[in-house]
Amino acid sequence: MKKGISPVFAAWFVLAGTVVGAAPQTLAAPSQAFKTPAEECLFTGYTQHEDVARFLGSLAAASANLAVRVVGGTREARGYPSQDLYLCVLTESGVRSPEKLDRSRPTILILASQHGNEQSPKEAALGFIRDLAVGELRPWLRRANFLVMPQCNPHGNLSDRRPNEQDLDMNRDHVKLESGGAAAIHRVFRAWMPEATLDMHEKGDDYYRVSLGCVSNINIAPEIQVFSRRVVLDEVRRALAKKNITFGEYVVRDEMGMNTATGAALPSDMLRGRETLLRYSTVEINDGRNSLGIYQTLSFIMECASRHDLPTLRERTSWQAWGLRFWAESVVGRGEEILAMVNRLRKEERERAGTYFEDDVIHLRMDYKRDPSVLQVVRKRFEAPPSQARGILRVDKKAGETVTASDLEPFPYAGRMKVVEETVKNWFPLVSSRLTVPRPLGYVIPSDKAQVVENLLRHGIGVGLFTRDAALSVEAYFVTDIEPSDIDWLPPERIEAEKRKIPVLARKGDFYASCDQPGATLIPLLLEPQSQFGLICYGRFDLVPKKGEFFSVWRVVEDRALPLAAYKNFLR
Ligand SMILES: [Zn+2]
């Protein structure tokens, strides 16, 4: 869910769903010998990290199809020790490492509960792991490999808070990778290179119980978005309708002229009084969907309705479980098509990146825009009748006695809510490019930008080290005008730069990032000074240039051998 926006506006959903207020659906329990911790306690508590470890341990002992790996860790904070982060590898042959993976079938990565107060994705993911390992979904392992990280933010789950133990919003950390959790996700992604990913979240108490969002950054091949929307979302919508669960594509309300999606702490007076627009989910690449989609991955976010309270945990977990199951069923069913499409797009990208040509452009800045043929949309939402009581008393109260929030039990979902339709006139479903640059062959990074290089390594990007001085002809940006942002996590307010071809000396000890590798689109987005998504947005990388200076990272567009050795090419 989006941060800092009132719940009413937090998420809006477009496609019409079906029935509201139906009885909670529960999945048929496939193997009751292995109840998830939440099923065990009848959903009276949130599953904590120790319970996750115990559950996965006993499941792995019982299933030759499941291997559990430690793929990273959290930090010690506030008396809570550092914790291992787990990856569940579910395959037909019980593979334990990426080298052994059968790549003739698609590999599917599922991430749950990056946001600690969004508990039901984790509960549903644990049930899904069980169903694949010992239950009724085992036959799917003949057609696909599954990777599941069921608990990405243990400290957030413990404290029932959105951020992690460093107070970082993990789902805005996928560019800078400061959190152990986001770094682990990218380590897993780069090691296993899945073709499809799903990042599971909770939104507010919304009419559309299950929502899925597709990739929206236009550097990702348009056919991925089209396939996601027309095939996968449509199949999930139809499957959920049979269960009487309302579905709508994930959309977000934004203040017009503002980008509220970066995670930057925007002052409220910047937002107040602005007209709003409705759009699909963000084009930013610092989330868990576009940041994996940028590798030409069929990547999704799922957002299910939630009141974030225990009495509704069972019900919201069931929405997550059905959404996850039907999404996975669609991806498994379309496995051959997806594998062929993603393999082809990744190969084509590498081929383009290996040779420099002006038409191979990267979109550095983009805007949401209207679709002239669909100027407005109708969406449904709940509306409480004016006379609605606030809840059900759980204790006896006499007339005149004070009633506090803790005396009240919430109404069951949608109990007395009215469903109303609303026409939204500022509908911005499309994305247009505002600035492009040809993809260079690679970038020279000066030796004093160690933080930048460490970040690239965290993304799994191979970096070369100049082993001797080398005279080069490069493209360097001469900055003619700049107004830095005074808010961290945002690009400069204004940056004008001329690209100049100049002779330079790359020094022994400088670094080189070639674009001819996986991440061929990510690398320019991180390193170009005019990228709205780049490392320049974050103060810690110290990349903001001054007017009248050259930007410190140079573009190489001429193909010649460079004196390089792989830098920190260590086994991890
Ligand atoms: Zn979330």
Side-chain angles (χ1 to χ4, degrees):
M1 196 178 116
K2 202 159 158 250
K3 190 180 178 183
I5 307 286
S6 79
V8 173
F9 294 126
W12 301 66
F13 304 90
V14 181
L15 301 173
T18 50
V19 178
V20 178
Q25 302 274 336
T26 46
L27 295 177
S31 174
Q32 283 307 322
F34 286 99
K35 284 197 165 102
T36 67
E39 289 165 355
E40 199 79 60
C41 74
L42 302 176
F43 294 87
T44 56
Y46 298 130
T47 302
Q48 296 304 330
H49 192 65
E50 304 72 30
D51 310 318
V52 172
R54 272 194 289 272
F55 175 70
L56 294 180
S58 52
L59 203 54
S63 170
N65 302 108
L66 170 64
V68 183
R69 291 182 57 131
V70 174
V71 289
T74 63
R75 293 190 188 179
E76 184 175 347
R78 302 184 191 93
Y80 187 64
S82 65
Q83 300 289 355
D84 292 334
L85 295 169
Y86 303 123
L87 170 70
C88 297
V89 183
L90 292 134
T91 59
E92 186 181 22
S93 55
V95 161
R96 309 180 80 83
S97 64
E99 300 76 33
K100 303 269 172 62
L101 204 59
D102 179 352
R103 305 297 322 203
S104 70
R105 53 186 81 178
T107 301
I108 299 169
L109 171 64
I110 293 153
L111 310 169
S113 294
Q114 287 195 73
H115 288 146
N117 62 336
E118 297 170 14
Q119 303 270 358
S120 68
K122 169 199 57 194
E123 312 297 356
L126 292 172
F128 186 72
I129 293 165
R130 181 261 324 271
D131 296 345
L132 282 171
V134 297
E136 63 192 354
L137 302 185
R138 261 184 90 190
W140 287 3
L141 298 181
R142 292 202 289 268
R143 304 173 67 190
N145 309 308
F146 285 88
L147 308 167
V148 189
M149 292 178 70
Q151 188 182 39
C152 295
N153 179 1
H155 185 274
N157 280 166
L158 176 74
S159 54
D160 203 23
R161 291 173 66 239
R162 177 182 174 97
N164 80 341
E165 70 281 358
Q166 301 154 271
D167 277 330
L168 287 170
D169 183 335
M170 282 179 54
N171 207 32
R172 303 290 182 275
D173 191 43
H174 290 260
V175 164
K176 54 188 171 58
L177 300 182
E178 279 180 271
S179 65
I185 289 167
H186 285 263
R187 196 175 305 125
V188 166
F189 180 86
R190 288 306 311 272
W192 299 80
M193 288 305 285
E195 287 84 22
T197 64
L198 179 70
D199 184 22
M200 298 168 68
H201 290 259
E202 285 185 338
K203 54 185 177 177
D205 184 11
D206 191 80
Y207 168 82
Y208 300 101
R209 293 326 203 182
V210 178
S211 287
L212 283 168
C214 325
V215 291
S216 44
N217 186 292
I218 54 173
N219 289 297
I220 303 166
E223 69 180 280
I224 289 186
Q225 193 188 78
V226 169
F227 186 91
S228 301
R229 185 169 286 135
R230 294 204 184 143
V231 177
V232 179
L233 264 59
D234 191 54
E235 290 182 356
V236 173
R237 179 183 57 76
R238 283 190 276 119
L240 287 169
K242 291 184 187 146
K243 297 282 175 194
N244 288 336
I245 299 172
T246 49
F247 175 82
E249 183 167 348
Y250 186 50
V251 292
V252 176
R253 183 152 291 234
D254 220 359
E255 282 74 10
M256 277 178 124
M258 295 294 302
N259 181 1
T260 59
T262 60
L266 301 177
S268 55
D269 59 341
M270 274 173 84
L271 304 174
R272 203 175 302 130
R274 280 178 184 263
E275 201 173 339
T276 58
L277 61 79
L278 190 69
R279 58 167 171 77
Y280 289 124
S281 192
T282 177
V283 297
E284 292 293 320
I285 60 162
N286 63 2
D287 73 352
R289 171 184 44 112
N290 285 323
S291 70
L292 306 178
I294 207 73
Y295 292 90
Q296 309 303 339
T297 312
L298 196 78
S299 191
F300 296 82
I301 185 171
M302 184 164 78
E303 295 266 2
C304 296
S306 174
R307 279 186 179 173
H308 301 275
D309 60 7
L310 274 172
T312 58
L313 180 62
R314 182 194 298 270
E315 192 173 25
R316 56 190 162 116
T317 299
S318 83
W319 294 329
Q320 294 277 350
W322 285 116
L324 170 58
R325 177 179 289 207
F326 290 141
W327 174 84
E329 190 169 35
S330 174
V331 172
V332 171
R334 301 279 182 165
E336 281 178 29
E337 272 171 273
I338 290 169
L339 191 64
M341 176 172 67
V342 171
N343 282 343
R344 172 173 50 77
L345 291 170
R346 287 177 177 172
K347 186 163 163 269
E348 287 170 1
E349 183 179 82
R350 282 294 298 277
E351 281 167 5
R352 287 197 305 274
T355 314
Y356 177 76
F357 58 104
E358 296 260 325
D359 293 345
D360 178 28
V361 296
I362 303 291
H363 303 279
L364 298 181
R365 290 177 176 256
M366 46 196 81
D367 293 313
Y368 303 105
K369 68 169 190 182
R370 294 180 192 273
D371 179 347
S373 63
V374 190
L375 288 175
Q376 54 189 36
V377 285
V378 175
R379 58 173 185 77
K380 291 184 180 180
R381 63 176 169 82
F382 291 132
E383 190 173 87
S387 61
Q388 168 127 16
R390 291 173 161 235
I392 302 163
L393 267 178
R394 48 172 132 216
V395 286
D396 185 35
K397 291 274 178 180
K398 294 188 177 61
E401 272 190 280
T402 311
V403 177
T404 64
S406 63
D407 298 329
L408 290 173
E409 194 95 60
F411 278 120
Y413 271 113
R416 296 190 187 173
M417 292 292 203
K418 218 166 68 177
V419 177
V420 294
E421 281 195 348
E422 185 184 4
T423 302
V424 179
K425 63 178 171 59
N426 292 328
W427 171 230
F428 283 62
L430 304 179
V431 178
S432 63
S433 179
R434 189 146 44 96
L435 181 68
T436 61
V437 68
R439 178 182 2 233
L441 295 171
Y443 293 89
V444 177
I445 304 161
S447 60
D448 64 353
K449 296 295 180 197
Q451 287 266 40
V452 171
V453 171
E454 285 304 315
N455 175 269
L456 298 180
L457 295 175
R458 281 191 161 215
H459 279 283
I461 292 166
V463 177
L465 184 72
F466 279 90
T467 52
R468 57 177 166 78
D469 293 357
L472 302 174
S473 169
V474 299
E475 289 182 349
Y477 285 104
F478 183 76
V479 180
T480 56
D481 194 15
I482 183 160
E483 186 186 343
S485 172
D486 42 19
I487 301 172
D488 199 15
W489 299 24
L490 289 184
E493 290 279 329
R494 192 175 66 253
I495 175 165
E496 305 292 340
E498 289 170 13
K499 217 189 294 162
R500 295 185 185 171
K501 203 151 214 175
I502 56 169
V504 294
L505 193 66
R507 296 284 187 181
K508 179 181 176 181
D510 285 345
F511 301 100
Y512 183 72
S514 166
C515 290
D516 186 11
Q517 60 177 312
T521 300
L522 176 64
I523 294 164
L525 290 180
L526 295 178
L527 295 179
E528 287 284 332
Q530 289 171 305
S531 166
Q532 80 177 82
F533 314 102
L535 297 183
I536 196 171
C537 300
Y538 305 100
R540 66 199 299 261
F541 297 110
D542 191 25
L543 280 173
V544 180
K546 292 196 171 60
K547 185 176 171 176
E549 285 181 357
F550 280 102
F551 184 58
S552 53
V553 176
W554 302 326
R555 293 162 51 87
V556 172
V557 298
E558 287 176 14
D559 196 5
R560 53 159 286 188
L562 301 173
L564 298 171
Y567 178 64
K568 285 199 186 177
N569 188 22
F570 306 148
L571 290 175
R572 285 164 205 272

Tab-separated table of all heavy atoms in Angstrom, residues 1 114-115 117-118 162 171 200-202 301 303, ligand 1:
chain	number	residue	atom	x	y	z
A	1	MET	N	0.841	-1.177	0.000
A	1	MET	CA	0.000	0.000	0.000
A	1	MET	C	0.880	1.232	0.000
A	1	MET	O	1.980	1.241	0.506
A	1	MET	CB	-0.874	-0.036	1.239
A	1	MET	CG	-2.054	0.895	1.181
A	1	MET	SD	-3.052	0.705	2.680
A	1	MET	CE	-2.833	2.327	3.369
A	114	GLN	N	7.114	-7.883	2.585
A	114	GLN	CA	8.173	-6.874	2.707
A	114	GLN	C	7.741	-5.799	3.688
A	114	GLN	O	8.565	-5.212	4.381
A	114	GLN	CB	8.422	-6.198	1.355
A	114	GLN	CG	9.136	-7.015	0.336
A	114	GLN	CD	9.628	-6.125	-0.781
A	114	GLN	OE1	10.577	-5.365	-0.611
A	114	GLN	NE2	8.990	-6.210	-1.924
A	115	HIS	N	6.449	-5.504	3.696
A	115	HIS	CA	5.903	-4.547	4.664
A	115	HIS	C	5.435	-5.326	5.886
A	115	HIS	O	4.541	-6.178	5.798
A	115	HIS	CB	4.758	-3.746	4.029
A	115	HIS	CG	5.243	-2.764	3.020
A	115	HIS	ND1	4.551	-2.433	1.882
A	115	HIS	CD2	6.394	-2.032	2.984
A	115	HIS	CE1	5.242	-1.531	1.187
A	115	HIS	NE2	6.368	-1.278	1.834
A	117	ASN	N	3.692	-4.825	8.553
A	117	ASN	CA	2.316	-4.811	9.072
A	117	ASN	C	1.339	-5.418	8.072
A	117	ASN	O	0.136	-5.377	8.274
A	117	ASN	CB	1.887	-3.383	9.422
A	117	ASN	CG	1.881	-2.469	8.214
A	117	ASN	OD1	2.587	-2.726	7.232
A	117	ASN	ND2	1.123	-1.403	8.275
A	118	GLU	N	1.883	-5.960	6.974
A	118	GLU	CA	1.033	-6.645	6.001
A	118	GLU	C	1.273	-8.148	6.209
A	118	GLU	O	2.123	-8.763	5.585
A	118	GLU	CB	1.358	-6.145	4.596
A	118	GLU	CG	1.041	-4.647	4.475
A	118	GLU	CD	1.546	-3.981	3.206
A	118	GLU	OE1	1.916	-4.692	2.260
A	118	GLU	OE2	1.578	-2.740	3.185
A	162	ARG	N	5.211	-1.245	9.263
A	162	ARG	CA	5.554	-1.306	7.842
A	162	ARG	C	7.069	-1.399	7.583
A	162	ARG	O	7.515	-2.268	6.833
A	162	ARG	CB	4.981	-0.058	7.157
A	162	ARG	CG	5.312	0.082	5.679
A	162	ARG	CD	4.724	1.396	5.166
A	162	ARG	NE	5.104	1.671	3.804
A	162	ARG	CZ	4.363	1.400	2.737
A	162	ARG	NH1	3.205	0.797	2.874
A	162	ARG	NH2	4.763	1.715	1.524
A	171	ASN	N	10.045	-1.691	0.347
A	171	ASN	CA	9.544	-1.664	-1.029
A	171	ASN	C	9.800	-0.330	-1.725
A	171	ASN	O	9.222	-0.041	-2.762
A	171	ASN	CB	8.056	-2.022	-1.078
A	171	ASN	CG	7.676	-2.627	-2.415
A	171	ASN	OD1	8.495	-3.312	-3.037
A	171	ASN	ND2	6.465	-2.357	-2.885
A	200	MET	N	3.870	-9.811	-2.804
A	200	MET	CA	2.552	-9.824	-2.146
A	200	MET	C	2.429	-8.768	-1.043
A	200	MET	O	3.275	-8.698	-0.147
A	200	MET	CB	2.299	-11.216	-1.547
A	200	MET	CG	2.253	-12.318	-2.596
A	200	MET	SD	2.312	-13.960	-1.856
A	200	MET	CE	0.722	-14.038	-1.030
A	201	HIS	N	1.347	-8.011	-1.109
A	201	HIS	CA	1.103	-6.910	-0.154
A	201	HIS	C	-0.354	-6.889	0.293
A	201	HIS	O	-1.193	-7.594	-0.247
A	201	HIS	CB	1.412	-5.564	-0.827
A	201	HIS	CG	2.866	-5.350	-1.073
A	201	HIS	ND1	3.648	-4.568	-0.275
A	201	HIS	CD2	3.682	-5.834	-2.040
A	201	HIS	CE1	4.884	-4.570	-0.733
A	201	HIS	NE2	4.938	-5.332	-1.811
A	202	GLU	N	-0.607	-5.992	1.274
A	202	GLU	CA	-1.974	-5.691	1.689
A	202	GLU	C	-2.234	-4.209	1.484
A	202	GLU	O	-1.351	-3.383	1.710
A	202	GLU	CB	-2.160	-5.976	3.184
A	202	GLU	CG	-2.268	-7.435	3.542
A	202	GLU	CD	-2.563	-7.628	5.023
A	202	GLU	OE1	-2.286	-6.709	5.825
A	202	GLU	OE2	-3.069	-8.680	5.387
A	301	ILE	N	2.695	-7.183	-8.800
A	301	ILE	CA	2.447	-6.921	-7.384
A	301	ILE	C	1.026	-7.389	-7.103
A	301	ILE	O	0.147	-7.242	-7.956
A	301	ILE	CB	2.617	-5.422	-7.030
A	301	ILE	CG1	2.484	-5.192	-5.527
A	301	ILE	CG2	1.630	-4.552	-7.793
A	301	ILE	CD1	2.854	-3.769	-5.087
A	303	GLU	N	-2.033	-6.940	-4.242
A	303	GLU	CA	-2.504	-6.179	-3.086
A	303	GLU	C	-3.888	-6.698	-2.736
A	303	GLU	O	-4.803	-6.620	-3.548
A	303	GLU	CB	-2.611	-4.679	-3.428
A	303	GLU	CG	-1.289	-3.995	-3.741
A	303	GLU	CD	-0.671	-3.337	-2.515
A	303	GLU	OE1	-1.263	-3.440	-1.406
A	303	GLU	OE2	0.403	-2.721	-2.676
B	1	ZN	ZN	2.846	-3.166	1.073
